[in-house]
Amino acid sequence: MIEPDQLIERIESECDLPDGWSAFKTTPIGAIEVSGFDGEEQQQAILEVIAGDQITEIVINHSRMPGRLSANNYEERDEPASDIPDQAGVLQFDTRDKALAALDKLADPDIIEEIARMRSFVENDDPLDVTEAVREASNVDVSTIKDTSSGI
C-alpha cells in the first residue's frame, strides 16, 4: 500500500495542478486534499483522493454541488471508509494510475464548478449524475471509472 506522502509526491509530479494548488494530508487518515487552500480561506472547489487497498476514490467537492447518496449501501462498503461531505460526487477507480489520470483532468476550479452546475437541480430541470457531468465538463475517460456514489 502506498503511503500518503508517496501519493502526494505522485500527485504533484504527475498532475498539472493549477497555480496555487497543492496536495496535502487531511482527515480521515489516508485522505489527501488537492486544492488551492492557503491555510485561511475556505475553498469552493476541492478534490480529495482516498486510497484504499482495492480502490482509489476521487471526491469532487464544490460548495454548490448537490448531496450524494450511495448507489450501494454506503455503510456496508469495505473501503475506503470515509465521511463524505454532503456536497460531493465520488468516482471510484480500480487503480491509482487511472485515478491520477482523472485527477489531472479534474484539477481545475472551472471544471469542478461546471460539474456542480450540471448536477444542480436548482439550475437544471434534468440534472446530470456525477459520471455524465464529468463526461460533459472534462476530458476524463469515464470508461476508467469503476463505480460512482452520487445522487440527489
Side-chain angles (χ1 to χ4, degrees):
M1 182 168 180
I2 194 167
E3 292 296 318
D5 290 334
Q6 293 172 316
L7 187 53
I8 288 170
E9 187 176 305
R10 278 193 68 188
I11 290 168
E12 291 184 339
S13 67
E14 296 176 25
C15 298
D16 185 20
L17 300 179
D19 287 342
W21 277 44
S22 61
F24 52 91
K25 290 185 265 190
T26 185
T27 56
I29 295 172
I32 296 167
E33 182 174 315
V34 181
S35 73
F37 184 61
D38 61 4
E40 293 182 18
E41 291 189 31
Q42 186 173 353
Q43 299 296 295
Q44 190 172 23
I46 296 170
L47 296 173
E48 184 178 18
V49 179
I50 304 171
D53 289 333
Q54 303 298 316
I55 58 175
T56 300
E57 289 185 338
I58 295 177
V59 182
I60 305 168
N61 193 348
H62 190 280
S63 60
R64 292 188 8 240
M65 184 99 62
R68 52 88 84 181
L69 300 171
S70 176
N72 308 325
N73 186 342
Y74 184 70
E75 287 73 28
E76 294 179 8
R77 286 208 320 217
D78 292 332
E79 58 148 297
S82 173
D83 293 327
I84 304 295
D86 288 341
Q87 294 84 19
V90 181
L91 307 175
Q92 296 178 352
F93 300 87
D94 56 6
T95 70
R96 283 196 188 85
D97 291 341
K98 291 176 185 176
L100 291 181
L103 181 72
D104 183 45
K105 293 176 175 26
L106 292 170
D108 181 327
D110 294 334
I111 289 174
I112 297 170
E113 183 164 346
E114 183 66 8
I115 292 169
R117 188 193 64 72
M118 288 184 207
R119 294 194 60 225
S120 172
F121 57 89
V122 174
E123 297 183 41
N124 300 288
D125 292 333
D126 191 18
L128 300 180
D129 69 23
V130 67
T131 304
E132 289 303 313
V134 166
R135 178 191 325 264
E136 294 291 323
S138 72
N139 292 324
V140 171
D141 177 1
V142 295
S143 70
T144 64
I145 299 170
K146 179 180 177 179
D147 196 6
T148 62
S149 299
S150 65
I152 297 174

